[in-house]
Amino acid sequence: MTDFKTLLFRAGFMNFGKLNRVQVCDFLCVSERTLERWIADNKPCPRALRLLELRIDGRISTHPAWRDFKVCRDGYLWTPRGHRYDAGFINKLDFLQRSNRAHEAHAVQLQTEIDNLKDLVQASDRMRDIGKELITMSDRFKFRNILVNYETKKEKSA
Protein backbone atom coordinates (compact mmCIF):
# COMPACT_ATOMS: atom_id res chain seq x y z
CA MET A 1 0.00 0.00 0.00
CA THR A 2 1.17 3.49 -0.83
CA ASP A 3 1.86 5.83 2.05
CA PHE A 4 -1.19 8.01 2.85
CA LYS A 5 0.91 11.19 2.88
CA THR A 6 2.22 10.31 -0.59
CA LEU A 7 -1.35 9.96 -1.86
CA LEU A 8 -2.23 13.33 -0.36
CA PHE A 9 0.80 14.86 -2.07
CA ARG A 10 -0.02 13.27 -5.44
CA ALA A 11 -3.63 14.44 -5.12
CA GLY A 12 -2.39 18.04 -4.87
CA PHE A 13 -3.11 18.78 -1.23
CA MET A 14 0.49 19.67 -0.30
CA ASN A 15 2.15 22.92 -1.24
CA PHE A 16 5.87 23.27 -0.51
CA GLY A 17 5.72 20.28 1.83
CA LYS A 18 2.85 21.70 3.88
CA LEU A 19 -0.47 19.85 3.96
CA ASN A 20 -3.61 21.93 3.42
CA ARG A 21 -5.63 20.18 6.14
CA VAL A 22 -8.83 22.20 5.66
CA GLN A 23 -8.96 21.37 1.97
CA VAL A 24 -8.29 17.65 2.62
CA CYS A 25 -10.98 17.48 5.31
CA ASP A 26 -13.51 19.17 3.00
CA PHE A 27 -12.62 16.82 0.14
CA LEU A 28 -12.79 13.63 2.21
CA CYS A 29 -15.74 14.85 4.35
CA VAL A 30 -13.96 14.05 7.62
CA SER A 31 -12.95 15.97 10.70
CA GLU A 32 -9.41 17.19 11.24
CA ARG A 33 -9.07 14.74 14.13
CA THR A 34 -9.90 11.80 11.84
CA LEU A 35 -7.40 13.06 9.28
CA GLU A 36 -4.71 13.30 11.94
CA ARG A 37 -5.42 9.72 13.03
CA TRP A 38 -5.24 8.44 9.43
CA ILE A 39 -1.91 10.21 8.90
CA ALA A 40 -0.44 8.95 12.19
CA ASP A 41 -1.56 5.33 11.71
CA ASN A 42 -1.20 5.37 7.90
CA LYS A 43 -4.56 3.55 7.82
CA PRO A 44 -7.24 5.66 6.13
CA CYS A 45 -10.60 4.16 5.26
CA PRO A 46 -10.92 2.54 1.80
CA ARG A 47 -13.36 5.26 0.68
CA ALA A 48 -10.75 7.96 1.35
CA LEU A 49 -8.13 5.99 -0.58
CA ARG A 50 -10.53 5.56 -3.49
CA LEU A 51 -11.39 9.28 -3.53
CA LEU A 52 -7.72 10.24 -3.53
CA GLU A 53 -6.95 7.78 -6.34
CA LEU A 54 -9.83 9.18 -8.40
CA ARG A 55 -8.55 12.71 -7.86
CA ILE A 56 -5.00 11.69 -8.81
CA ASP A 57 -6.33 10.11 -12.01
CA GLY A 58 -8.19 13.33 -12.76
CA ARG A 59 -11.65 11.86 -12.51
CA ILE A 60 -12.75 14.21 -9.72
CA SER A 61 -12.23 17.93 -9.89
CA THR A 62 -12.59 20.38 -7.06
CA HIS A 63 -11.72 23.31 -9.31
CA PRO A 64 -14.03 26.30 -8.66
CA ALA A 65 -15.15 26.41 -12.30
CA TRP A 66 -16.75 22.96 -11.86
CA ARG A 67 -18.29 23.72 -8.46
CA ASP A 68 -21.99 23.53 -9.44
CA PHE A 69 -21.66 20.69 -11.95
CA LYS A 70 -22.89 17.25 -10.91
CA VAL A 71 -22.50 13.71 -12.24
CA CYS A 72 -25.49 11.56 -11.35
CA ARG A 73 -25.43 7.82 -10.73
CA ASP A 74 -26.66 7.22 -14.30
CA GLY A 75 -23.47 8.86 -15.63
CA TYR A 76 -24.96 12.13 -16.88
CA LEU A 77 -23.22 15.46 -16.38
CA TRP A 78 -25.67 18.05 -15.06
CA THR A 79 -24.85 21.73 -15.57
CA PRO A 80 -25.76 24.45 -13.05
CA ARG A 81 -28.58 25.52 -15.40
CA GLY A 82 -30.08 22.02 -15.37
CA HIS A 83 -28.89 20.72 -18.75
CA ARG A 84 -27.99 17.03 -18.96
CA TYR A 85 -25.19 15.61 -21.13
CA ASP A 86 -24.07 12.03 -21.54
CA ALA A 87 -20.45 11.00 -21.97
CA GLY A 88 -20.93 10.14 -25.65
CA PHE A 89 -22.09 13.66 -26.45
CA ILE A 90 -19.27 15.27 -24.48
CA ASN A 91 -16.81 13.02 -26.29
CA LYS A 92 -18.14 14.33 -29.62
CA LEU A 93 -17.73 18.00 -28.67
CA ASP A 94 -14.16 18.11 -29.99
CA PHE A 95 -15.29 16.80 -33.37
CA LEU A 96 -18.20 19.25 -33.44
CA GLN A 97 -15.91 22.18 -32.63
CA ARG A 98 -13.44 21.21 -35.36
CA SER A 99 -16.31 20.78 -37.81
CA ASN A 100 -17.72 24.17 -36.83
CA ARG A 101 -14.31 25.84 -37.29
CA ALA A 102 -14.02 24.28 -40.75
CA HIS A 103 -17.47 25.57 -41.70
CA GLU A 104 -16.64 29.02 -40.38
CA ALA A 105 -13.41 29.07 -42.40
CA HIS A 106 -15.35 27.99 -45.50
CA ALA A 107 -17.93 30.74 -44.87
CA VAL A 108 -15.13 33.33 -44.63
CA GLN A 109 -13.67 32.03 -47.91
CA LEU A 110 -17.07 32.24 -49.61
CA GLN A 111 -17.60 35.77 -48.25
CA THR A 112 -14.23 36.77 -49.71
CA GLU A 113 -15.27 35.35 -53.08
CA ILE A 114 -18.56 37.24 -52.90
CA ASP A 115 -16.70 40.48 -52.12
CA ASN A 116 -14.37 39.86 -55.08
CA LEU A 117 -17.37 39.22 -57.36
CA LYS A 118 -18.95 42.48 -56.16
CA ASP A 119 -15.70 44.27 -57.03
CA LEU A 120 -15.75 42.65 -60.48
CA VAL A 121 -19.36 43.75 -61.06
CA GLN A 122 -18.49 47.30 -60.02
CA ALA A 123 -15.43 47.24 -62.31
CA SER A 124 -17.59 45.90 -65.14
CA ASP A 125 -20.14 48.66 -64.61
CA ARG A 126 -17.34 51.26 -64.58
CA MET A 127 -15.85 49.80 -67.77
CA ARG A 128 -19.30 49.96 -69.42
CA ASP A 129 -19.60 53.63 -68.42
CA ILE A 130 -16.07 54.34 -69.75
CA GLY A 131 -17.00 52.57 -72.98
CA LYS A 132 -20.09 54.74 -73.37
CA GLU A 133 -18.00 57.86 -72.74
CA LEU A 134 -15.46 56.74 -75.36
CA ILE A 135 -18.23 56.14 -77.90
CA THR A 136 -19.65 59.60 -77.18
CA MET A 137 -16.17 61.11 -77.56
CA SER A 138 -15.55 59.28 -80.81
CA ASP A 139 -18.92 60.44 -82.13
CA ARG A 140 -17.88 64.04 -81.37
CA PHE A 141 -14.55 63.51 -83.17
CA LYS A 142 -16.39 62.06 -86.19
CA PHE A 143 -18.72 65.03 -86.23
CA ARG A 144 -15.73 67.39 -86.08
CA ASN A 145 -14.04 65.43 -88.86
CA ILE A 146 -17.20 65.69 -90.93
CA LEU A 147 -17.29 69.47 -90.35
CA VAL A 148 -13.58 69.81 -91.18
CA ASN A 149 -13.98 67.69 -94.33
CA TYR A 150 -17.05 69.69 -95.33
CA GLU A 151 -15.18 72.93 -94.80
CA THR A 152 -12.22 71.70 -96.90
CA LYS A 153 -14.52 70.49 -99.67
CA LYS A 154 -16.40 73.79 -99.58
CA GLU A 155 -13.14 75.74 -99.86
CA LYS A 156 -11.92 73.60 -102.76
CA SER A 157 -15.13 74.02 -104.63
CA ALA A 158 -15.17 77.76 -104.20
Side-chain angles (χ1 to χ4, degrees), residues 46-57:
R47 179 189 61 84
L49 291 175
R50 182 71 179 135
L51 281 172
L52 290 173
E53 288 171 355
L54 288 172
R55 181 172 166 133
I56 291 168
D57 290 342

Side-chain angles (χ1 to χ4, degrees), residues 125-138:
D125 291 343
R126 182 66 183 137
M127 292 297 286
R128 186 183 66 236
D129 293 342
I130 290 172
K132 286 180 182 177
E133 288 177 23
L134 287 173
I135 289 171
T136 304
M137 289 171 62
S138 71

